Amino acid sequence: MRIVMIGSGYVGLVSGACFADFGHQVCCVDKDASKIEALRDGRIPIFEPGLDELVASNVAAGRLEFSLDLAQALNGADAVFIAVGTPSRRGDGHADLSYVYAAASEMAPHVKSGALVVTKSTVPVGTGDEVRRIISAACPELSFSVASNPEFLREGAAIEDFKRPDRVVIGVDDEHAAGVLREIYRPLGNETRLLVMARRAAELTKYAANAFLATKISFINEIADLCEQVGADVRDVAIGIGLDSRIGPRFLQPGPGYGGSCFPKDTLALLKTGQDYQAPLRIVEAVVAANDGRKRAMGRKVVAALGGQGHGRTVALLGLTFKANTDDMRDSPALGIVQALQDAGAAVRAYDPEGMEQAAKLLDNVTYCDDPYQAMEGADAAVIVTEWDAFRALDLERAGRLLSQPLLVDLRNLYDRPEVERHGFRYVAVGC
Ligand SMILES: NC(=O)c1ccc[n+]([C@@H]2O[C@H](COP(=O)([O-])OP(=O)(O)OC[C@H]3O[C@@H](n4cnc5c(N)ncnc54)[C@H](O)[C@@H]3O)[C@@H](O)[C@H]2O)c1
């Protein structure tokens, strides 16, 4: 199969590289010239474990290439995947579909007859209909199919998720489209469930999945708050409920709230869809509100641990990205936490293994450090914001000597209280 990915970001690049690894001929297109230049030079513009080797081997095998020229890339393509961003529209929270629609307009004159156009971007119900309308309006004679194939990969484990997915969701309204997508995913073998459904159901499945996972996170965060008030350990509660197979153990780790490029914008966009169709989603509304409040609440938790006073205090943040193993800072809880700390008058020093370049674009007045120990030098508290492995085995002796007072606020519950306290620290965790 000849495949074109429009958009070579986290999803487009990972999907494109994996499709090439399946044996397809793939061209990843992007409008960002610096991205394409980097990729052509063998540099990967994002941090994603294993992606550099996967890209290099498929480029070397002649199956993967990168281009700024959509028209040329589309020459002879059997399937075109739209993998551009769908951020929150400024002001109202709807998904901003301008990039998706622009991609549809741009491809229209160059798509070959019989080709399949697939939205891999996360798009609200009905977007596939609009993509079809835009292409048909530009090329009334063209015969083509439109499918939805939402992506469920997680940053940090994206290649594994793409190659060993729990399921592949395919939304089609004709058998030809289903056949092409079955052929594209055939290398996954029989172990992978390929769910073929109507396009609208597929579009909604992605939002429903993200909203459900966000709900689990907000739920356990609220249970954690209750645990703190009643003197229970949320980790016991999470295991106690998670072993129930109807509930499952994942997404039950309390923390500073969900962030990243998907859950915040997708929960908001789903709410807007619910409003548009007079089907209010009250549970999701509550999840969004709970999560919004949580980030600043975590900042206040740190200030409270400092005795209620931020002025004249310095806080060392360990981790800035919304989760480990990514450099993605989009909607990271760290943004709200830093703001709350600075509003309280505290100075912020920070270290993140991969996220500092992105963070510097979003955060003002933060001192970036070369490692966690440099961040802790002279600080009044160390605060673990992201669950990077590098923070799981800190040298607590050394940390205790560097901090002006031995205080560890662990917003990811990476440590056991007795171990930290044995080193003379005061230990503040979440829900325990
Ligand atoms: N990041 C994730 O973990 C993840 C997971 C599942 C689904 N998604 C969804 O996938 C979509 C893409 O997300 P992402 O994180 O990869 O975004 P991203 O911002 O990393 O990448 C999007 C890329 O598209 C390019 N682009 C925009 N318009 C273009 C056009 N007309 N032609 C060519 N290139 C164009 C941009 O330059 C950018 O490089 C979103 O809808 C997102 O919700 C993301």
PDB file of all heavy atoms in Angstrom, residues 174-202:
ATOM      1  N   ASP A 174     -18.496   2.340   3.644  1.00  0.00           N
ATOM      2  CA  ASP A 174     -18.540   1.454   2.464  1.00  0.00           C
ATOM      3  C   ASP A 174     -17.529   0.322   2.626  1.00  0.00           C
ATOM      4  O   ASP A 174     -16.558   0.444   3.376  1.00  0.00           O
ATOM      5  CB  ASP A 174     -18.318   2.239   1.163  1.00  0.00           C
ATOM      6  CG  ASP A 174     -16.942   2.869   1.085  1.00  0.00           C
ATOM      7  OD1 ASP A 174     -15.983   2.157   0.727  1.00  0.00           O
ATOM      8  OD2 ASP A 174     -16.817   4.079   1.406  1.00  0.00           O
ATOM      9  N   GLU A 175     -17.779  -0.752   1.954  1.00  0.00           N
ATOM     10  CA  GLU A 175     -16.970  -1.966   2.119  1.00  0.00           C
ATOM     11  C   GLU A 175     -15.555  -1.784   1.569  1.00  0.00           C
ATOM     12  O   GLU A 175     -14.593  -2.331   2.093  1.00  0.00           O
ATOM     13  CB  GLU A 175     -17.689  -3.149   1.441  1.00  0.00           C
ATOM     14  CG  GLU A 175     -17.280  -4.527   1.898  1.00  0.00           C
ATOM     15  CD  GLU A 175     -16.779  -4.650   3.364  1.00  0.00           C
ATOM     16  OE1 GLU A 175     -17.506  -4.300   4.326  1.00  0.00           O
ATOM     17  OE2 GLU A 175     -15.631  -5.099   3.523  1.00  0.00           O
ATOM     18  N   HIS A 176     -15.423  -0.951   0.522  1.00  0.00           N
ATOM     19  CA  HIS A 176     -14.089  -0.719  -0.056  1.00  0.00           C
ATOM     20  C   HIS A 176     -13.158  -0.138   1.016  1.00  0.00           C
ATOM     21  O   HIS A 176     -12.018  -0.580   1.187  1.00  0.00           O
ATOM     22  CB  HIS A 176     -14.193   0.233  -1.252  1.00  0.00           C
ATOM     23  CG  HIS A 176     -12.865   0.756  -1.699  1.00  0.00           C
ATOM     24  ND1 HIS A 176     -11.932  -0.040  -2.328  1.00  0.00           N
ATOM     25  CD2 HIS A 176     -12.294   1.997  -1.581  1.00  0.00           C
ATOM     26  CE1 HIS A 176     -10.847   0.681  -2.583  1.00  0.00           C
ATOM     27  NE2 HIS A 176     -11.039   1.921  -2.138  1.00  0.00           N
ATOM     28  N   ALA A 177     -13.665   0.876   1.759  1.00  0.00           N
ATOM     29  CA  ALA A 177     -12.847   1.530   2.791  1.00  0.00           C
ATOM     30  C   ALA A 177     -12.428   0.506   3.847  1.00  0.00           C
ATOM     31  O   ALA A 177     -11.268   0.470   4.278  1.00  0.00           O
ATOM     32  CB  ALA A 177     -13.632   2.672   3.435  1.00  0.00           C
ATOM     33  N   ALA A 178     -13.370  -0.348   4.240  1.00  0.00           N
ATOM     34  CA  ALA A 178     -13.050  -1.367   5.252  1.00  0.00           C
ATOM     35  C   ALA A 178     -11.962  -2.295   4.727  1.00  0.00           C
ATOM     36  O   ALA A 178     -11.018  -2.642   5.453  1.00  0.00           O
ATOM     37  CB  ALA A 178     -14.308  -2.163   5.602  1.00  0.00           C
ATOM     38  N   GLY A 179     -12.053  -2.660   3.457  1.00  0.00           N
ATOM     39  CA  GLY A 179     -11.073  -3.571   2.862  1.00  0.00           C
ATOM     40  C   GLY A 179      -9.674  -2.960   2.857  1.00  0.00           C
ATOM     41  O   GLY A 179      -8.691  -3.635   3.184  1.00  0.00           O
ATOM     42  N   VAL A 180      -9.577  -1.680   2.489  1.00  0.00           N
ATOM     43  CA  VAL A 180      -8.261  -1.025   2.433  1.00  0.00           C
ATOM     44  C   VAL A 180      -7.656  -0.978   3.846  1.00  0.00           C
ATOM     45  O   VAL A 180      -6.478  -1.290   4.052  1.00  0.00           O
ATOM     46  CB  VAL A 180      -8.370   0.400   1.837  1.00  0.00           C
ATOM     47  CG1 VAL A 180      -7.040   1.135   1.944  1.00  0.00           C
ATOM     48  CG2 VAL A 180      -8.829   0.347   0.382  1.00  0.00           C
ATOM     49  N   LEU A 181      -8.468  -0.611   4.837  1.00  0.00           N
ATOM     50  CA  LEU A 181      -7.931  -0.507   6.202  1.00  0.00           C
ATOM     51  C   LEU A 181      -7.570  -1.882   6.764  1.00  0.00           C
ATOM     52  O   LEU A 181      -6.572  -2.027   7.473  1.00  0.00           O
ATOM     53  CB  LEU A 181      -8.912   0.244   7.103  1.00  0.00           C
ATOM     54  CG  LEU A 181      -8.823   1.765   6.880  1.00  0.00           C
ATOM     55  CD1 LEU A 181     -10.057   2.478   7.423  1.00  0.00           C
ATOM     56  CD2 LEU A 181      -7.564   2.359   7.527  1.00  0.00           C
ATOM     57  N   ARG A 182      -8.367  -2.897   6.417  1.00  0.00           N
ATOM     58  CA  ARG A 182      -8.005  -4.266   6.848  1.00  0.00           C
ATOM     59  C   ARG A 182      -6.643  -4.644   6.278  1.00  0.00           C
ATOM     60  O   ARG A 182      -5.810  -5.230   6.958  1.00  0.00           O
ATOM     61  CB  ARG A 182      -9.055  -5.280   6.371  1.00  0.00           C
ATOM     62  CG  ARG A 182     -10.246  -5.383   7.277  1.00  0.00           C
ATOM     63  CD  ARG A 182     -10.992  -6.707   7.051  1.00  0.00           C
ATOM     64  NE  ARG A 182     -12.255  -6.648   7.743  1.00  0.00           N
ATOM     65  CZ  ARG A 182     -13.406  -6.257   7.179  1.00  0.00           C
ATOM     66  NH1 ARG A 182     -13.436  -5.926   5.904  1.00  0.00           N
ATOM     67  NH2 ARG A 182     -14.508  -6.205   7.894  1.00  0.00           N
ATOM     68  N   GLU A 183      -6.435  -4.292   5.017  1.00  0.00           N
ATOM     69  CA  GLU A 183      -5.159  -4.620   4.359  1.00  0.00           C
ATOM     70  C   GLU A 183      -3.998  -3.850   5.016  1.00  0.00           C
ATOM     71  O   GLU A 183      -2.932  -4.414   5.267  1.00  0.00           O
ATOM     72  CB  GLU A 183      -5.269  -4.263   2.863  1.00  0.00           C
ATOM     73  CG  GLU A 183      -4.045  -4.573   2.033  1.00  0.00           C
ATOM     74  CD  GLU A 183      -3.623  -6.042   2.084  1.00  0.00           C
ATOM     75  OE1 GLU A 183      -4.457  -6.899   2.390  1.00  0.00           O
ATOM     76  OE2 GLU A 183      -2.420  -6.308   1.839  1.00  0.00           O
ATOM     77  N   ILE A 184      -4.228  -2.583   5.363  1.00  0.00           N
ATOM     78  CA  ILE A 184      -3.166  -1.773   5.986  1.00  0.00           C
ATOM     79  C   ILE A 184      -2.767  -2.371   7.335  1.00  0.00           C
ATOM     80  O   ILE A 184      -1.597  -2.432   7.692  1.00  0.00           O
ATOM     81  CB  ILE A 184      -3.632  -0.301   6.125  1.00  0.00           C
ATOM     82  CG1 ILE A 184      -3.667   0.358   4.747  1.00  0.00           C
ATOM     83  CG2 ILE A 184      -2.730   0.478   7.086  1.00  0.00           C
ATOM     84  CD1 ILE A 184      -4.259   1.755   4.727  1.00  0.00           C
ATOM     85  N   TYR A 185      -3.771  -2.832   8.091  1.00  0.00           N
ATOM     86  CA  TYR A 185      -3.485  -3.351   9.447  1.00  0.00           C
ATOM     87  C   TYR A 185      -3.260  -4.868   9.467  1.00  0.00           C
ATOM     88  O   TYR A 185      -3.049  -5.429  10.540  1.00  0.00           O
ATOM     89  CB  TYR A 185      -4.630  -2.980  10.403  1.00  0.00           C
ATOM     90  CG  TYR A 185      -4.573  -1.526  10.853  1.00  0.00           C
ATOM     91  CD1 TYR A 185      -5.423  -0.572  10.318  1.00  0.00           C
ATOM     92  CD2 TYR A 185      -3.637  -1.115  11.798  1.00  0.00           C
ATOM     93  CE1 TYR A 185      -5.360   0.760  10.722  1.00  0.00           C
ATOM     94  CE2 TYR A 185      -3.563   0.211  12.206  1.00  0.00           C
ATOM     95  CZ  TYR A 185      -4.424   1.139  11.665  1.00  0.00           C
ATOM     96  OH  TYR A 185      -4.340   2.449  12.076  1.00  0.00           O
ATOM     97  N   ARG A 186      -3.300  -5.511   8.294  1.00  0.00           N
ATOM     98  CA  ARG A 186      -3.149  -6.982   8.250  1.00  0.00           C
ATOM     99  C   ARG A 186      -1.911  -7.474   8.991  1.00  0.00           C
ATOM    100  O   ARG A 186      -1.970  -8.477   9.709  1.00  0.00           O
ATOM    101  CB  ARG A 186      -3.160  -7.465   6.796  1.00  0.00           C
ATOM    102  CG  ARG A 186      -3.252  -8.967   6.635  1.00  0.00           C
ATOM    103  CD  ARG A 186      -3.612  -9.342   5.203  1.00  0.00           C
ATOM    104  NE  ARG A 186      -2.750  -8.690   4.224  1.00  0.00           N
ATOM    105  CZ  ARG A 186      -1.571  -9.164   3.819  1.00  0.00           C
ATOM    106  NH1 ARG A 186      -1.120 -10.298   4.285  1.00  0.00           N
ATOM    107  NH2 ARG A 186      -0.838  -8.506   2.928  1.00  0.00           N
ATOM    108  N   PRO A 187      -0.758  -6.758   8.892  1.00  0.00           N
ATOM    109  CA  PRO A 187       0.443  -7.251   9.600  1.00  0.00           C
ATOM    110  C   PRO A 187       0.261  -7.395  11.114  1.00  0.00           C
ATOM    111  O   PRO A 187       1.072  -8.053  11.764  1.00  0.00           O
ATOM    112  CB  PRO A 187       1.495  -6.187   9.268  1.00  0.00           C
ATOM    113  CG  PRO A 187       1.036  -5.605   7.971  1.00  0.00           C
ATOM    114  CD  PRO A 187      -0.461  -5.599   8.047  1.00  0.00           C
ATOM    115  N   LEU A 188      -0.757  -6.796  11.693  1.00  0.00           N
ATOM    116  CA  LEU A 188      -0.964  -6.961  13.143  1.00  0.00           C
ATOM    117  C   LEU A 188      -1.410  -8.376  13.488  1.00  0.00           C
ATOM    118  O   LEU A 188      -1.332  -8.797  14.642  1.00  0.00           O
ATOM    119  CB  LEU A 188      -2.020  -5.972  13.660  1.00  0.00           C
ATOM    120  CG  LEU A 188      -1.610  -4.500  13.717  1.00  0.00           C
ATOM    121  CD1 LEU A 188      -2.772  -3.651  14.228  1.00  0.00           C
ATOM    122  CD2 LEU A 188      -0.399  -4.294  14.617  1.00  0.00           C
ATOM    123  N   GLY A 189      -1.886  -9.106  12.487  1.00  0.00           N
ATOM    124  CA  GLY A 189      -2.244 -10.510  12.708  1.00  0.00           C
ATOM    125  C   GLY A 189      -3.583 -10.674  13.401  1.00  0.00           C
ATOM    126  O   GLY A 189      -4.306  -9.712  13.655  1.00  0.00           O
ATOM    127  N   ASN A 190      -3.865 -11.932  13.736  1.00  0.00           N
ATOM    128  CA  ASN A 190      -5.196 -12.252  14.261  1.00  0.00           C
ATOM    129  C   ASN A 190      -5.388 -11.869  15.717  1.00  0.00           C
ATOM    130  O   ASN A 190      -6.504 -11.837  16.211  1.00  0.00           O
ATOM    131  CB  ASN A 190      -5.465 -13.758  14.121  1.00  0.00           C
ATOM    132  CG  ASN A 190      -5.612 -14.136  12.669  1.00  0.00           C
ATOM    133  OD1 ASN A 190      -5.969 -13.280  11.863  1.00  0.00           O
ATOM    134  ND2 ASN A 190      -5.310 -15.381  12.334  1.00  0.00           N
ATOM    135  N   GLU A 191      -4.274 -11.606  16.430  1.00  0.00           N
ATOM    136  CA  GLU A 191      -4.428 -11.292  17.866  1.00  0.00           C
ATOM    137  C   GLU A 191      -5.118  -9.949  18.083  1.00  0.00           C
ATOM    138  O   GLU A 191      -5.658  -9.690  19.150  1.00  0.00           O
ATOM    139  CB  GLU A 191      -3.081 -11.208  18.606  1.00  0.00           C
ATOM    140  CG  GLU A 191      -2.097 -12.314  18.373  1.00  0.00           C
ATOM    141  CD  GLU A 191      -1.164 -11.984  17.236  1.00  0.00           C
ATOM    142  OE1 GLU A 191      -0.210 -11.233  17.457  1.00  0.00           O
ATOM    143  OE2 GLU A 191      -1.413 -12.486  16.122  1.00  0.00           O
ATOM    144  N   THR A 192      -5.072  -9.075  17.070  1.00  0.00           N
ATOM    145  CA  THR A 192      -5.642  -7.737  17.259  1.00  0.00           C
ATOM    146  C   THR A 192      -7.075  -7.676  16.761  1.00  0.00           C
ATOM    147  O   THR A 192      -7.350  -8.053  15.614  1.00  0.00           O
ATOM    148  CB  THR A 192      -4.802  -6.687  16.498  1.00  0.00           C
ATOM    149  OG1 THR A 192      -3.471  -6.765  16.978  1.00  0.00           O
ATOM    150  CG2 THR A 192      -5.330  -5.287  16.727  1.00  0.00           C
ATOM    151  N   ARG A 193      -7.979  -7.235  17.640  1.00  0.00           N
ATOM    152  CA  ARG A 193      -9.380  -7.058  17.213  1.00  0.00           C
ATOM    153  C   ARG A 193      -9.476  -5.826  16.330  1.00  0.00           C
ATOM    154  O   ARG A 193      -9.092  -4.728  16.736  1.00  0.00           O
ATOM    155  CB  ARG A 193     -10.282  -6.814  18.433  1.00  0.00           C
ATOM    156  CG  ARG A 193     -10.622  -8.025  19.249  1.00  0.00           C
ATOM    157  CD  ARG A 193     -11.758  -8.868  18.684  1.00  0.00           C
ATOM    158  NE  ARG A 193     -13.045  -8.205  18.518  1.00  0.00           N
ATOM    159  CZ  ARG A 193     -13.974  -8.110  19.455  1.00  0.00           C
ATOM    160  NH1 ARG A 193     -13.757  -8.582  20.655  1.00  0.00           N
ATOM    161  NH2 ARG A 193     -15.143  -7.552  19.189  1.00  0.00           N
ATOM    162  N   LEU A 194      -9.958  -6.010  15.136  1.00  0.00           N
ATOM    163  CA  LEU A 194     -10.233  -4.891  14.237  1.00  0.00           C
ATOM    164  C   LEU A 194     -11.728  -4.639  14.294  1.00  0.00           C
ATOM    165  O   LEU A 194     -12.508  -5.477  13.843  1.00  0.00           O
ATOM    166  CB  LEU A 194      -9.832  -5.314  12.818  1.00  0.00           C
ATOM    167  CG  LEU A 194      -8.978  -4.356  12.032  1.00  0.00           C
ATOM    168  CD1 LEU A 194      -7.557  -4.357  12.556  1.00  0.00           C
ATOM    169  CD2 LEU A 194      -8.960  -4.778  10.567  1.00  0.00           C
ATOM    170  N   LEU A 195     -12.119  -3.551  14.899  1.00  0.00           N
ATOM    171  CA  LEU A 195     -13.544  -3.287  15.066  1.00  0.00           C
ATOM    172  C   LEU A 195     -14.029  -2.401  13.933  1.00  0.00           C
ATOM    173  O   LEU A 195     -13.615  -1.251  13.823  1.00  0.00           O
ATOM    174  CB  LEU A 195     -13.802  -2.562  16.390  1.00  0.00           C
ATOM    175  CG  LEU A 195     -13.440  -3.310  17.664  1.00  0.00           C
ATOM    176  CD1 LEU A 195     -13.691  -2.428  18.868  1.00  0.00           C
ATOM    177  CD2 LEU A 195     -14.271  -4.584  17.759  1.00  0.00           C
ATOM    178  N   VAL A 196     -14.882  -2.956  13.104  1.00  0.00           N
ATOM    179  CA  VAL A 196     -15.412  -2.164  11.994  1.00  0.00           C
ATOM    180  C   VAL A 196     -16.809  -1.696  12.386  1.00  0.00           C
ATOM    181  O   VAL A 196     -17.649  -2.486  12.815  1.00  0.00           O
ATOM    182  CB  VAL A 196     -15.462  -2.993  10.697  1.00  0.00           C
ATOM    183  CG1 VAL A 196     -16.023  -2.153   9.549  1.00  0.00           C
ATOM    184  CG2 VAL A 196     -14.067  -3.503  10.352  1.00  0.00           C
ATOM    185  N   MET A 197     -16.992  -0.388  12.289  1.00  0.00           N
ATOM    186  CA  MET A 197     -18.282   0.200  12.695  1.00  0.00           C
ATOM    187  C   MET A 197     -18.590   1.374  11.794  1.00  0.00           C
ATOM    188  O   MET A 197     -17.800   1.703  10.894  1.00  0.00           O
ATOM    189  CB  MET A 197     -18.214   0.637  14.167  1.00  0.00           C
ATOM    190  CG  MET A 197     -17.117   1.629  14.469  1.00  0.00           C
ATOM    191  SD  MET A 197     -17.026   2.085  16.223  1.00  0.00           S
ATOM    192  CE  MET A 197     -16.227   0.681  16.953  1.00  0.00           C
ATOM    193  N   ALA A 198     -19.705   2.039  12.031  1.00  0.00           N
ATOM    194  CA  ALA A 198     -20.046   3.217  11.232  1.00  0.00           C
ATOM    195  C   ALA A 198     -19.100   4.364  11.601  1.00  0.00           C
ATOM    196  O   ALA A 198     -18.575   4.414  12.713  1.00  0.00           O
ATOM    197  CB  ALA A 198     -21.493   3.627  11.489  1.00  0.00           C
ATOM    198  N   ARG A 199     -18.902   5.268  10.657  1.00  0.00           N
ATOM    199  CA  ARG A 199     -17.906   6.323  10.857  1.00  0.00           C
ATOM    200  C   ARG A 199     -18.219   7.173  12.085  1.00  0.00           C
ATOM    201  O   ARG A 199     -17.339   7.522  12.865  1.00  0.00           O
ATOM    202  CB  ARG A 199     -17.859   7.191   9.603  1.00  0.00           C
ATOM    203  CG  ARG A 199     -16.549   7.906   9.424  1.00  0.00           C
ATOM    204  CD  ARG A 199     -16.427   8.462   8.036  1.00  0.00           C
ATOM    205  NE  ARG A 199     -17.497   9.378   7.728  1.00  0.00           N
ATOM    206  CZ  ARG A 199     -17.985   9.574   6.506  1.00  0.00           C
ATOM    207  NH1 ARG A 199     -17.491   8.917   5.490  1.00  0.00           N
ATOM    208  NH2 ARG A 199     -18.966  10.427   6.309  1.00  0.00           N
ATOM    209  N   ARG A 200     -19.479   7.493  12.267  1.00  0.00           N
ATOM    210  CA  ARG A 200     -19.835   8.341  13.419  1.00  0.00           C
ATOM    211  C   ARG A 200     -19.553   7.622  14.741  1.00  0.00           C
ATOM    212  O   ARG A 200     -19.147   8.241  15.714  1.00  0.00           O
ATOM    213  CB  ARG A 200     -21.314   8.745  13.347  1.00  0.00           C
ATOM    214  CG  ARG A 200     -21.538   9.758  12.267  1.00  0.00           C
ATOM    215  CD  ARG A 200     -22.957  10.284  12.226  1.00  0.00           C
ATOM    216  NE  ARG A 200     -22.921  11.549  11.529  1.00  0.00           N
ATOM    217  CZ  ARG A 200     -23.418  12.689  11.988  1.00  0.00           C
ATOM    218  NH1 ARG A 200     -24.045  12.716  13.140  1.00  0.00           N
ATOM    219  NH2 ARG A 200     -23.303  13.795  11.295  1.00  0.00           N
ATOM    220  N   ALA A 201     -19.802   6.339  14.767  1.00  0.00           N
ATOM    221  CA  ALA A 201     -19.535   5.574  15.999  1.00  0.00           C
ATOM    222  C   ALA A 201     -18.040   5.579  16.301  1.00  0.00           C
ATOM    223  O   ALA A 201     -17.612   5.700  17.457  1.00  0.00           O
ATOM    224  CB  ALA A 201     -20.061   4.153  15.858  1.00  0.00           C
ATOM    225  N   ALA A 202     -17.228   5.459  15.250  1.00  0.00           N
ATOM    226  CA  ALA A 202     -15.772   5.455  15.451  1.00  0.00           C
ATOM    227  C   ALA A 202     -15.310   6.814  15.972  1.00  0.00           C
ATOM    228  O   ALA A 202     -14.480   6.894  16.885  1.00  0.00           O
ATOM    229  CB  ALA A 202     -15.065   5.113  14.145  1.00  0.00           C
TER     230      ALA A 202
END
